């Protein structure tokens, strides 16, 4: 019961204690045990690296939407850290937010499957700081990328890509929208790219709607 109040309704452990007559320490232990139980039960299915069947499914979804070779869309989400230690605020405060935040980098597909998540890096003031420490491209850097073959305009490619916004660097693994597109073809591409890129935004929105603890500032 305690974890449902904290996770779903976003209330503090103190309020849970007042309602259920359970102390803060006991509540936190319950949440810890529940989390470990979820990891033990669902970890082998969801907390794992991609397999060939997963990649084939992602490529098929991308191709049906007009983006052959697409593995998903990538972006970051800020989570306000209410009780951030004064000594750490310099590493977590972002200028346009004015509050300390931790960032979640994620890659999601059209069916809202978040198959990559990287969270809470110190000094993560923007998407680039997170990307520089993320392991999403470890296989790319080490030459162990999954086999991806597709053709666009009679050119053959063997590396998948992600839809991203303009803040990401000019890497071949990122496909961005065309700023101020001119002409029908460019306008059509920008429209479809921006629509497909919103998969990750929808995934973040579902997380926040299901778990108020993510929607509100976190205490720990």
């Amino acid at each position: 019961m305690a974890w449902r109040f904290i996770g779903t309704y976003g209330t503090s452990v103190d309020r849970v204690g007042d309602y259920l007559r359970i102390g803060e320490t006991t509540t936190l232990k319950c949440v810890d045990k529940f989390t470990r139980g979820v990891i033990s039960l669902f970890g082998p299915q969801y907390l794992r690296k991609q397999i060939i069947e997963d990649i084939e499914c992602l490529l098929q979804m991308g191709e049906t939407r007009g983006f052959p070779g697409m593995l998903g869309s990538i972006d970051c989400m800020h989570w306000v850290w209410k009780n951030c230690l004064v000594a750490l605020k310099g590493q977590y405060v972002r200028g346009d937010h004015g509050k300390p935040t931790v960032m979640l980098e994620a890659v999601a597909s059209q069916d809202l499957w978040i198959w990559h998540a990287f969270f809470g890096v110190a000094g993560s003031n923007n998407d680039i700081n997170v990307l520089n420490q993320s392991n999403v491209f470890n296989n790319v850097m080490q030459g162990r990328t999954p086999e991806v073959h597709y053709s666009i305009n009679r050119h053959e490619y063997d590396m998948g890509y992600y839809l991203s916004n303009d803040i990401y660097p000019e890497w071949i693994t990122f496909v961005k929208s065309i700023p101020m597109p001119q002409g029908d073809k460019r306008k059509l591409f920008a429209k479809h790219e921006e629509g497909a890129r919103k998969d990750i935004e929808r995934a973040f929105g579902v997380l926040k709607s299901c778990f108020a603890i993510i929607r509100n500032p976190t205490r720990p």
Side-chain angles (χ1 to χ4, degrees):
M1 178 68 75
W3 63 263
R4 288 187 62 189
F5 273 83
I6 293 177
T8 305
Y9 300 107
T11 60
S12 66
V13 291
D14 296 332
R15 290 189 60 185
V16 174
D18 295 338
Y19 182 81
L20 300 176
R21 306 291 181 176
I22 298 178
E24 179 175 348
T25 302
T26 304
T27 300
L28 290 176
K29 286 183 178 180
C30 292
V31 175
D32 180 70
K33 288 183 178 294
F34 169 74
T35 304
R36 293 178 185 276
V38 170
I39 293 174
S40 176
L41 183 61
F42 297 104
Q45 181 177 358
Y46 295 103
L47 300 179
R48 59 172 175 77
K49 292 184 178 180
Q50 292 173 303
I51 58 177
I52 296 177
E53 289 77 8
D54 297 330
I55 296 174
E56 290 178 350
C57 181
L58 292 172
L59 293 175
Q60 184 177 4
M61 282 192 293
E63 188 166 2
T64 57
R65 305 172 72 185
F67 291 95
M70 183 183 73
L71 295 173
S73 55
I74 185 171
D75 203 355
C76 290
M77 180 189 79
H78 286 269
W79 191 10
V80 177
W81 187 0
K82 181 180 179 181
N83 292 350
C84 178
L85 300 176
V86 176
L88 298 178
K89 283 189 176 181
Q91 302 180 59
Y92 288 94
V93 173
R94 176 174 164 174
D96 57 348
H97 278 70
K99 299 178 180 178
T101 63
V102 289
M103 290 184 68
L104 167 64
E105 177 192 76
V107 177
S109 54
Q110 185 181 16
D111 57 359
L112 303 185
W113 175 34
I114 299 178
W115 58 262
H116 164 76
F118 187 60
F119 185 74
V121 180
S124 54
N125 297 321
N126 57 52
D127 298 17
I128 301 301
N129 298 136
V130 178
L131 180 65
N132 290 335
Q133 303 180 60
S134 172
N135 60 358
V136 67
F137 295 114
N138 280 353
N139 289 336
V140 177
M141 302 300 292
Q142 297 171 8
R144 295 188 287 107
T145 56
E147 293 187 6
V148 176
H149 301 287
Y150 59 96
S151 175
I152 298 179
N153 294 332
R154 299 182 181 179
H155 292 281
E156 299 294 329
Y157 298 91
D158 57 3
M159 181 180 295
Y161 60 87
Y162 308 87
L163 302 184
S164 66
N165 56 29
D166 294 336
I167 194 174
Y168 283 88
E170 298 293 335
W171 294 358
I172 59 174
T173 50
F174 294 132
V175 172
K176 310 177 186 180
S177 181
I178 301 175
M180 302 179 65
Q182 303 294 323
D184 293 338
K185 288 185 178 181
R186 290 177 176 268
K187 290 180 179 179
L188 182 62
F189 172 82
K191 177 182 178 181
H192 284 280
E193 194 277 342
E194 292 168 2
R197 181 163 48 86
K198 292 187 181 297
D199 291 343
I200 184 62
E201 300 292 345
R202 291 194 300 117
F204 288 150
V206 170
L207 281 178
K208 292 180 179 180
S209 64
C210 291
F211 299 98
I213 191 174
I214 300 177
R215 187 167 62 248
N216 299 323
T218 179
R219 296 176 58 206

